Amino acid sequence: MNGWMGWLTALVTLVVAAGLMGACEKEPAQTAPIKLGLVLPYSAVYASLGEDITQGLELALAEVDNQAAGRPFEVLKQDSQVNPKVGLQVTNKFIQQDKVDFLIGPVASHVALAMRKAAHDSQTFLIIANAAADQLTRELCSPYIFRTSFSAWQPYYPMAEWMAKTENIRKVALLAPNYAAGKQAMAAFKEGFLPHGGEVTSEQYPALGESDFQPYLSKVIQGSPDAVFVFFSGADAVKFVKQWAQSGLNRTLPLYASGFLVEGSMLRAQGQDAIGIKNSLHWSDTLDNPVNRRFVAAYKARFGEKPSLFSMQGYDTGRLIIAALEATGGDTTDKARLQRALETVTIESPRGPFKLSKAHNPVQNIYVREVVNGPDGPENRIIALAAENLEDPGTGCPML
Ligand code: PHB
């Protein structure tokens, strides 16, 4: 090679190398695992809900071979114990030590309210897979907080209207656990019920994790209501429905509820005691659409049981994260880009129509369901649509 050719070769090599380096700088190949920090109850009153959300999420991840945009998922789990202090502790650990890309959870509203500031201030995405506290997608909404479940208002407001208008219920006794979700649930119920001439004969708040509901049931009867409306979930739901049947009230007084009362393993434990309970929710395993049929079959095949609402919310949480990561090519460093992706990607949810509002809360149908005997035991059959594409008002959220 003469000197001239040598110089040219060296120059071409340099240019190509520089080009490659430039390309690397622009598109840093992100291959590190995407860390998901699950803050869920694996003990206490809502333990079964935490298990169901985890299984639903696992199914969504398994469907994509546990990776998105070439990055594998790493799932870290911590038990929130349905305790706000513990929830905040494990959230801080996930943010500071593990440096998770997404926090997932929690189940309970008071735990979510305790975690909110840590997630927001550290700009860590929190995908709420159940907790309902209205503020989280109203005045305390955040660019980093998304909800795949529901706001406390959503299942109650339209159900109360439906009960007044369609079932002609005028006098109702209310019961719910004594914490944020219980209080907000009953407030939303009254908002829908009172304008239709409804009257509340008693309003009682047993402790979360209550074991004896009999004193509360005695007070219910004193007001001579037309019906009783309750919110209980997890272990509380099983105990309440059993004690309701033991008291004999199931033969004389109609019981209405949000559908958490009679979901999944709770319904399996209640058995025949749950028959006839009319309830509201944004999904049922009997909902007849192709996405839901596929989801229910895949879940049954993997876990040997039917999914619950909580499994479905865990599944959609996984699907939302996967879709957003695919949209950003797996880039988790550009928070604004990832936020936009979470806001704009579409996922086909087993619940039917699903999109996120500007406040990051699902816009979704609310179904009225009734527990009836199906081919393999009690199930929730859909009997009416309480609200179509219902959007939480999002009052006070600066992102609206
Ligand atoms: C809540 O605390 O927000 C909560 C818990 C259990 C449910 C629904 C809402 O089933």
Side-chain angles (χ1 to χ4, degrees), residues 46 49 107-109 130-132 150 179 181 231 233 260 310:
Y46 293 149
L49 285 66
V107 159
S109 283
N130 188 69
F150 52 94
Y179 78 112
F231 157 54
S233 187
F260 315 110
F310 313 104

Side-chain angles (χ1 to χ4, degrees), residues 5 34 65 80 96 103 167 181 192 198 290 297 319 337 342 350 358-359:
M5 279 290 282
I34 307 279
D65 293 329
S80 70
Q96 289 155 21
L103 291 159
E167 305 275 278
R319 298 277 307 269
R337 185 176 176 205
L342 287 160
K358 288 211 168 77

